[in-house]
Every structure is written in C-alpha cells, then in structure tokens.
Amino acid sequence: GSAFEKVGDIDAAIDSYREAIRLAPEDSRPHVALGNCFARKGRYSEAIKMFRRGLDLKPYCTEADVRVMLADALQKNKQIKEACTEWRRVSEIEPGWPSQDAPHKEAKKMLTKHCGES
C-alpha cells in the first residue's frame, strides 16, 4: 500500500491496505494507513472509522499522531466538537518517538484556531 501511495495511486493503496487488514485484522498499521488514504480522497467518514479502529488496536506509531489525524478528519467532516475533544486528548499524551512534541504543537494550534482555546 505504501508503494502505491508514493506513486500517487491511492485507489490501489486502498485495495492493498484492505487486503492487509483482511490478512492481519489486529494490526493497527493498515487501519491507520487506510484512514490516511480515505482522508486524502476526501472520504472523511471512512477515514474517521479507520483511525478509530487503529486507535482501538493500540497504534504502533504514537497515539498522539493518530489522534491528530483523526481530529483533522473530524474537522474536515464538520465535526468540530469531536475534533476539539481529540486535540485536547493529544495535549494530555506524553510526547513520544518518532514525532516527539510535533502532535502537541499541532493540537495546540488547532485548539486555538477552531476551539477558541489558547
């Protein structure tokens, strides 16, 4: 799936990630990656579902990263209240490898911009 993403074939990437989920349904990575593909296609409801499933499965990357992706999809899907909740959750998570405090900075910026918080 990631090879297809790199060359811009998002539809093929979606098919590949669906197959990866079929083969390893308890692995969070293809769920999160599929969510990213759906978000890139503007299919935010489907992206939200995949990000939430990836979170339920305890993501290999940091939880904060996935929650930022989820909040972005929620915001673009006009679910601002839910997005604000996710950005707040990010601010409560301990920074971790590999992104360190980047998700926290993004969450703070989005809380200010969309949720009236500073």
Side-chain angles (χ1 to χ4, degrees), residues 75 84 87 107-118:
Q75 182 264 320
C84 292
W87 288 315
K108 183 176 181 172
K109 180 176 86 174
M110 293 295 126
L111 281 166
T112 300
K113 182 176 181 178
H114 296 287
C115 311
E117 297 178 23
S118 54

Side-chain angles (χ1 to χ4, degrees), residues 1-15:
S2 61
F4 287 121
E5 278 188 90
K6 286 181 183 178
V7 297
D9 192 345
I10 303 305
D11 291 326
I14 287 170
D15 291 341

Side-chain angles (χ1 to χ4, degrees), residues 2-115:
S2 61
F4 287 121
E5 278 188 90
K6 286 181 183 178
V7 297
D9 192 345
I10 303 305
D11 291 326
I14 287 170
D15 291 341
S16 293
Y17 291 130
R18 282 185 170 147
E19 179 65 5
I21 290 168
R22 186 186 71 75
L23 295 170
E26 299 305 312
D27 186 341
S28 68
R29 293 172 292 187
H31 291 85
V32 172
L34 182 56
N36 277 323
C37 288
F38 285 146
R40 287 178 66 181
K41 300 275 290 183
R43 295 164 57 179
Y44 301 115
S45 293
E46 292 167 286
I48 292 163
K49 180 180 174 184
M50 289 296 102
F51 292 139
R52 286 185 171 148
R53 180 67 181 136
L55 286 165
D56 288 344
L57 294 171
K58 306 297 180 207
Y60 282 87
C61 58
T62 67
E63 178 183 347
D65 290 307
V66 180
R67 290 201 181 278
V68 165
M69 291 181 248
L70 171 58
D72 183 61
L74 287 163
Q75 182 264 320
K76 288 177 178 167
N77 203 45
K78 312 277 190 254
Q79 295 174 256
I80 302 300
K81 183 177 177 180
E82 293 90 342
C84 292
T85 298
E86 292 303 326
W87 288 315
R88 283 185 205 100
R89 286 180 177 157
V90 170
S91 67
E92 296 169 357
I93 297 171
E94 187 72 29
W97 186 87
S99 54
Q100 300 302 332
D101 66 345
H104 301 83
K105 288 178 181 177
E106 178 69 12
K108 183 176 181 172
K109 180 176 86 174
M110 293 295 126
L111 281 166
T112 300
K113 182 176 181 178
H114 296 287
C115 311

